[in-house]
PDB file of all heavy atoms in Angstrom:
ATOM      1  N   PHE U 739     -21.241 -60.084 -43.628  1.00  0.00           N
ATOM      2  CA  PHE U 739     -21.665 -60.003 -45.030  1.00  0.00           C
ATOM      3  C   PHE U 739     -20.488 -59.945 -45.993  1.00  0.00           C
ATOM      4  O   PHE U 739     -20.611 -59.392 -47.082  1.00  0.00           O
ATOM      5  CB  PHE U 739     -22.559 -58.775 -45.232  1.00  0.00           C
ATOM      6  CG  PHE U 739     -23.805 -58.778 -44.406  1.00  0.00           C
ATOM      7  CD1 PHE U 739     -24.181 -57.644 -43.684  1.00  0.00           C
ATOM      8  CD2 PHE U 739     -24.607 -59.909 -44.327  1.00  0.00           C
ATOM      9  CE1 PHE U 739     -25.337 -57.644 -42.914  1.00  0.00           C
ATOM     10  CE2 PHE U 739     -25.762 -59.919 -43.566  1.00  0.00           C
ATOM     11  CZ  PHE U 739     -26.132 -58.783 -42.854  1.00  0.00           C
ATOM     12  N   ARG U 740     -19.369 -60.516 -45.614  1.00  0.00           N
ATOM     13  CA  ARG U 740     -18.155 -60.347 -46.413  1.00  0.00           C
ATOM     14  C   ARG U 740     -18.299 -60.865 -47.841  1.00  0.00           C
ATOM     15  O   ARG U 740     -17.660 -60.345 -48.764  1.00  0.00           O
ATOM     16  CB  ARG U 740     -16.970 -61.025 -45.722  1.00  0.00           C
ATOM     17  CG  ARG U 740     -17.074 -62.524 -45.611  1.00  0.00           C
ATOM     18  CD  ARG U 740     -15.871 -63.157 -44.919  1.00  0.00           C
ATOM     19  NE  ARG U 740     -14.885 -62.210 -44.484  1.00  0.00           N
ATOM     20  CZ  ARG U 740     -13.869 -62.496 -43.660  1.00  0.00           C
ATOM     21  NH1 ARG U 740     -13.759 -63.714 -43.183  1.00  0.00           N
ATOM     22  NH2 ARG U 740     -13.001 -61.598 -43.323  1.00  0.00           N
ATOM     23  N   ALA U 741     -19.143 -61.884 -48.064  1.00  0.00           N
ATOM     24  CA  ALA U 741     -19.309 -62.446 -49.408  1.00  0.00           C
ATOM     25  C   ALA U 741     -20.454 -61.789 -50.176  1.00  0.00           C
ATOM     26  O   ALA U 741     -20.692 -62.124 -51.337  1.00  0.00           O
ATOM     27  CB  ALA U 741     -19.539 -63.950 -49.317  1.00  0.00           C
ATOM     28  N   ARG U 742     -21.142 -60.867 -49.553  1.00  0.00           N
ATOM     29  CA  ARG U 742     -22.311 -60.247 -50.185  1.00  0.00           C
ATOM     30  C   ARG U 742     -21.877 -59.083 -51.067  1.00  0.00           C
ATOM     31  O   ARG U 742     -20.926 -58.368 -50.773  1.00  0.00           O
ATOM     32  CB  ARG U 742     -23.286 -59.774 -49.110  1.00  0.00           C
ATOM     33  CG  ARG U 742     -24.591 -59.222 -49.656  1.00  0.00           C
ATOM     34  CD  ARG U 742     -25.576 -58.893 -48.558  1.00  0.00           C
ATOM     35  NE  ARG U 742     -26.024 -60.091 -47.849  1.00  0.00           N
ATOM     36  CZ  ARG U 742     -26.959 -60.091 -46.904  1.00  0.00           C
ATOM     37  NH1 ARG U 742     -27.531 -58.940 -46.557  1.00  0.00           N
ATOM     38  NH2 ARG U 742     -27.304 -61.203 -46.308  1.00  0.00           N
ATOM     39  N   GLN U 743     -22.603 -58.870 -52.140  1.00  0.00           N
ATOM     40  CA  GLN U 743     -22.355 -57.722 -53.006  1.00  0.00           C
ATOM     41  C   GLN U 743     -22.642 -56.441 -52.223  1.00  0.00           C
ATOM     42  O   GLN U 743     -23.704 -56.298 -51.600  1.00  0.00           O
ATOM     43  CB  GLN U 743     -23.250 -57.816 -54.236  1.00  0.00           C
ATOM     44  CG  GLN U 743     -22.745 -57.068 -55.442  1.00  0.00           C
ATOM     45  CD  GLN U 743     -23.589 -57.366 -56.669  1.00  0.00           C
ATOM     46  OE1 GLN U 743     -24.817 -57.309 -56.621  1.00  0.00           O
ATOM     47  NE2 GLN U 743     -22.938 -57.690 -57.777  1.00  0.00           N
ATOM     48  N   ALA U 744     -21.694 -55.503 -52.234  1.00  0.00           N
ATOM     49  CA  ALA U 744     -21.803 -54.319 -51.371  1.00  0.00           C
ATOM     50  C   ALA U 744     -23.037 -53.484 -51.689  1.00  0.00           C
ATOM     51  O   ALA U 744     -23.614 -52.849 -50.802  1.00  0.00           O
ATOM     52  CB  ALA U 744     -20.545 -53.468 -51.493  1.00  0.00           C
ATOM     53  N   GLY U 745     -23.468 -53.491 -52.944  1.00  0.00           N
ATOM     54  CA  GLY U 745     -24.625 -52.698 -53.322  1.00  0.00           C
ATOM     55  C   GLY U 745     -25.930 -53.180 -52.725  1.00  0.00           C
ATOM     56  O   GLY U 745     -26.928 -52.450 -52.741  1.00  0.00           O
ATOM     57  N   THR U 746     -25.945 -54.394 -52.201  1.00  0.00           N
ATOM     58  CA  THR U 746     -27.162 -54.933 -51.585  1.00  0.00           C
ATOM     59  C   THR U 746     -27.278 -54.569 -50.109  1.00  0.00           C
ATOM     60  O   THR U 746     -28.310 -54.848 -49.488  1.00  0.00           O
ATOM     61  CB  THR U 746     -27.215 -56.467 -51.725  1.00  0.00           C
ATOM     62  OG1 THR U 746     -26.161 -57.055 -50.935  1.00  0.00           O
ATOM     63  CG2 THR U 746     -27.067 -56.888 -53.170  1.00  0.00           C
ATOM     64  N   LEU U 747     -26.248 -53.963 -49.545  1.00  0.00           N
ATOM     65  CA  LEU U 747     -26.282 -53.573 -48.138  1.00  0.00           C
ATOM     66  C   LEU U 747     -27.173 -52.347 -47.942  1.00  0.00           C
ATOM     67  O   LEU U 747     -27.374 -51.551 -48.852  1.00  0.00           O
ATOM     68  CB  LEU U 747     -24.871 -53.250 -47.635  1.00  0.00           C
ATOM     69  CG  LEU U 747     -23.812 -54.347 -47.732  1.00  0.00           C
ATOM     70  CD1 LEU U 747     -22.492 -53.834 -47.164  1.00  0.00           C
ATOM     71  CD2 LEU U 747     -24.239 -55.609 -47.003  1.00  0.00           C
ATOM     72  N   SER U 748     -27.665 -52.185 -46.725  1.00  0.00           N
ATOM     73  CA  SER U 748     -28.412 -50.971 -46.384  1.00  0.00           C
ATOM     74  C   SER U 748     -27.461 -49.778 -46.355  1.00  0.00           C
ATOM     75  O   SER U 748     -26.229 -49.936 -46.340  1.00  0.00           O
ATOM     76  CB  SER U 748     -29.072 -51.132 -45.016  1.00  0.00           C
ATOM     77  OG  SER U 748     -28.084 -51.139 -43.988  1.00  0.00           O
ATOM     78  N   GLY U 749     -28.041 -48.578 -46.329  1.00  0.00           N
ATOM     79  CA  GLY U 749     -27.205 -47.377 -46.273  1.00  0.00           C
ATOM     80  C   GLY U 749     -26.287 -47.360 -45.067  1.00  0.00           C
ATOM     81  O   GLY U 749     -25.107 -46.996 -45.164  1.00  0.00           O
ATOM     82  N   GLY U 750     -26.805 -47.750 -43.919  1.00  0.00           N
ATOM     83  CA  GLY U 750     -25.988 -47.783 -42.704  1.00  0.00           C
ATOM     84  C   GLY U 750     -24.872 -48.800 -42.793  1.00  0.00           C
ATOM     85  O   GLY U 750     -23.744 -48.549 -42.338  1.00  0.00           O
ATOM     86  N   GLN U 751     -25.159 -49.957 -43.373  1.00  0.00           N
ATOM     87  CA  GLN U 751     -24.132 -50.981 -43.538  1.00  0.00           C
ATOM     88  C   GLN U 751     -23.064 -50.524 -44.531  1.00  0.00           C
ATOM     89  O   GLN U 751     -21.871 -50.772 -44.326  1.00  0.00           O
ATOM     90  CB  GLN U 751     -24.782 -52.285 -44.000  1.00  0.00           C
ATOM     91  CG  GLN U 751     -25.640 -52.958 -42.935  1.00  0.00           C
ATOM     92  CD  GLN U 751     -26.532 -54.047 -43.486  1.00  0.00           C
ATOM     93  OE1 GLN U 751     -26.780 -54.131 -44.697  1.00  0.00           O
ATOM     94  NE2 GLN U 751     -27.035 -54.910 -42.607  1.00  0.00           N
ATOM     95  N   GLN U 752     -23.482 -49.836 -45.579  1.00  0.00           N
ATOM     96  CA  GLN U 752     -22.515 -49.313 -46.539  1.00  0.00           C
ATOM     97  C   GLN U 752     -21.601 -48.267 -45.896  1.00  0.00           C
ATOM     98  O   GLN U 752     -20.401 -48.209 -46.204  1.00  0.00           O
ATOM     99  CB  GLN U 752     -23.242 -48.713 -47.745  1.00  0.00           C
ATOM    100  CG  GLN U 752     -23.894 -49.744 -48.641  1.00  0.00           C
ATOM    101  CD  GLN U 752     -24.549 -49.125 -49.861  1.00  0.00           C
ATOM    102  OE1 GLN U 752     -24.280 -47.973 -50.205  1.00  0.00           O
ATOM    103  NE2 GLN U 752     -25.403 -49.881 -50.526  1.00  0.00           N
ATOM    104  N   GLN U 753     -22.163 -47.453 -45.008  1.00  0.00           N
ATOM    105  CA  GLN U 753     -21.327 -46.457 -44.343  1.00  0.00           C
ATOM    106  C   GLN U 753     -20.296 -47.132 -43.451  1.00  0.00           C
ATOM    107  O   GLN U 753     -19.134 -46.704 -43.394  1.00  0.00           O
ATOM    108  CB  GLN U 753     -22.202 -45.506 -43.517  1.00  0.00           C
ATOM    109  CG  GLN U 753     -21.424 -44.361 -42.872  1.00  0.00           C
ATOM    110  CD  GLN U 753     -20.746 -43.463 -43.884  1.00  0.00           C
ATOM    111  OE1 GLN U 753     -19.644 -43.748 -44.354  1.00  0.00           O
ATOM    112  NE2 GLN U 753     -21.404 -42.381 -44.247  1.00  0.00           N
ATOM    113  N   GLN U 754     -20.700 -48.178 -42.747  1.00  0.00           N
ATOM    114  CA  GLN U 754     -19.747 -48.920 -41.920  1.00  0.00           C
ATOM    115  C   GLN U 754     -18.652 -49.549 -42.784  1.00  0.00           C
ATOM    116  O   GLN U 754     -17.473 -49.550 -42.411  1.00  0.00           O
ATOM    117  CB  GLN U 754     -20.488 -49.991 -41.114  1.00  0.00           C
ATOM    118  CG  GLN U 754     -21.412 -49.398 -40.055  1.00  0.00           C
ATOM    119  CD  GLN U 754     -22.256 -50.455 -39.376  1.00  0.00           C
ATOM    120  OE1 GLN U 754     -21.745 -51.274 -38.605  1.00  0.00           O
ATOM    121  NE2 GLN U 754     -23.562 -50.459 -39.670  1.00  0.00           N
ATOM    122  N   LEU U 755     -19.038 -50.067 -43.951  1.00  0.00           N
ATOM    123  CA  LEU U 755     -18.057 -50.629 -44.875  1.00  0.00           C
ATOM    124  C   LEU U 755     -17.098 -49.550 -45.362  1.00  0.00           C
ATOM    125  O   LEU U 755     -15.886 -49.788 -45.456  1.00  0.00           O
ATOM    126  CB  LEU U 755     -18.776 -51.280 -46.063  1.00  0.00           C
ATOM    127  CG  LEU U 755     -17.896 -51.745 -47.230  1.00  0.00           C
ATOM    128  CD1 LEU U 755     -16.856 -52.757 -46.765  1.00  0.00           C
ATOM    129  CD2 LEU U 755     -18.768 -52.324 -48.350  1.00  0.00           C
ATOM    130  N   ALA U 756     -17.609 -48.373 -45.674  1.00  0.00           N
ATOM    131  CA  ALA U 756     -16.755 -47.289 -46.164  1.00  0.00           C
ATOM    132  C   ALA U 756     -15.715 -46.895 -45.127  1.00  0.00           C
ATOM    133  O   ALA U 756     -14.540 -46.664 -45.452  1.00  0.00           O
ATOM    134  CB  ALA U 756     -17.615 -46.083 -46.549  1.00  0.00           C
ATOM    135  N   ILE U 757     -16.124 -46.816 -43.868  1.00  0.00           N
ATOM    136  CA  ILE U 757     -15.169 -46.479 -42.808  1.00  0.00           C
ATOM    137  C   ILE U 757     -14.181 -47.617 -42.615  1.00  0.00           C
ATOM    138  O   ILE U 757     -12.972 -47.393 -42.463  1.00  0.00           O
ATOM    139  CB  ILE U 757     -15.913 -46.160 -41.496  1.00  0.00           C
ATOM    140  CG1 ILE U 757     -16.835 -44.950 -41.679  1.00  0.00           C
ATOM    141  CG2 ILE U 757     -14.912 -45.881 -40.374  1.00  0.00           C
ATOM    142  CD1 ILE U 757     -17.744 -44.682 -40.492  1.00  0.00           C
ATOM    143  N   ALA U 758     -14.679 -48.858 -42.633  1.00  0.00           N
ATOM    144  CA  ALA U 758     -13.802 -50.013 -42.476  1.00  0.00           C
ATOM    145  C   ALA U 758     -12.753 -50.052 -43.590  1.00  0.00           C
ATOM    146  O   ALA U 758     -11.573 -50.328 -43.337  1.00  0.00           O
ATOM    147  CB  ALA U 758     -14.632 -51.291 -42.477  1.00  0.00           C
ATOM    148  N   ARG U 759     -13.175 -49.791 -44.815  1.00  0.00           N
ATOM    149  CA  ARG U 759     -12.234 -49.794 -45.948  1.00  0.00           C
ATOM    150  C   ARG U 759     -11.141 -48.749 -45.757  1.00  0.00           C
ATOM    151  O   ARG U 759      -9.956 -48.999 -46.036  1.00  0.00           O
ATOM    152  CB  ARG U 759     -12.996 -49.531 -47.254  1.00  0.00           C
ATOM    153  CG  ARG U 759     -12.121 -49.585 -48.497  1.00  0.00           C
ATOM    154  CD  ARG U 759     -12.931 -49.288 -49.745  1.00  0.00           C
ATOM    155  NE  ARG U 759     -13.528 -47.955 -49.695  1.00  0.00           N
ATOM    156  CZ  ARG U 759     -14.422 -47.514 -50.576  1.00  0.00           C
ATOM    157  NH1 ARG U 759     -14.851 -48.289 -51.541  1.00  0.00           N
ATOM    158  NH2 ARG U 759     -14.907 -46.294 -50.481  1.00  0.00           N
ATOM    159  N   ALA U 760     -11.516 -47.571 -45.258  1.00  0.00           N
ATOM    160  CA  ALA U 760     -10.518 -46.529 -45.005  1.00  0.00           C
ATOM    161  C   ALA U 760      -9.543 -46.950 -43.911  1.00  0.00           C
ATOM    162  O   ALA U 760      -8.344 -46.663 -43.992  1.00  0.00           O
ATOM    163  CB  ALA U 760     -11.213 -45.227 -44.616  1.00  0.00           C
ATOM    164  N   LEU U 761     -10.033 -47.656 -42.908  1.00  0.00           N
ATOM    165  CA  LEU U 761      -9.176 -48.084 -41.801  1.00  0.00           C
ATOM    166  C   LEU U 761      -8.225 -49.196 -42.205  1.00  0.00           C
ATOM    167  O   LEU U 761      -7.116 -49.308 -41.658  1.00  0.00           O
ATOM    168  CB  LEU U 761     -10.034 -48.537 -40.619  1.00  0.00           C
ATOM    169  CG  LEU U 761     -10.814 -47.438 -39.900  1.00  0.00           C
ATOM    170  CD1 LEU U 761     -11.774 -48.049 -38.889  1.00  0.00           C
ATOM    171  CD2 LEU U 761      -9.870 -46.463 -39.210  1.00  0.00           C
ATOM    172  N   VAL U 762      -8.628 -50.036 -43.155  1.00  0.00           N
ATOM    173  CA  VAL U 762      -7.763 -51.120 -43.624  1.00  0.00           C
ATOM    174  C   VAL U 762      -6.457 -50.559 -44.192  1.00  0.00           C
ATOM    175  O   VAL U 762      -5.415 -51.217 -44.141  1.00  0.00           O
ATOM    176  CB  VAL U 762      -8.507 -51.978 -44.679  1.00  0.00           C
ATOM    177  CG1 VAL U 762      -7.548 -52.885 -45.438  1.00  0.00           C
ATOM    178  CG2 VAL U 762      -9.581 -52.821 -44.005  1.00  0.00           C
ATOM    179  N   ALA U 763      -6.508 -49.330 -44.693  1.00  0.00           N
ATOM    180  CA  ALA U 763      -5.292 -48.698 -45.227  1.00  0.00           C
ATOM    181  C   ALA U 763      -4.273 -48.373 -44.135  1.00  0.00           C
ATOM    182  O   ALA U 763      -3.138 -48.002 -44.448  1.00  0.00           O
ATOM    183  CB  ALA U 763      -5.665 -47.429 -45.990  1.00  0.00           C
TER     184      ALA U 763
END
Side-chain angles (χ1 to χ4, degrees):
F739 300 133
R740 65 180 1 168
R742 185 174 294 185
Q743 204 172 48
T746 67
L747 301 181
S748 70
Q751 290 166 343
Q752 289 183 16
Q753 185 61 276
Q754 292 173 70
L755 172 58
I757 299 172
R759 183 181 61 189
L761 291 172
V762 166

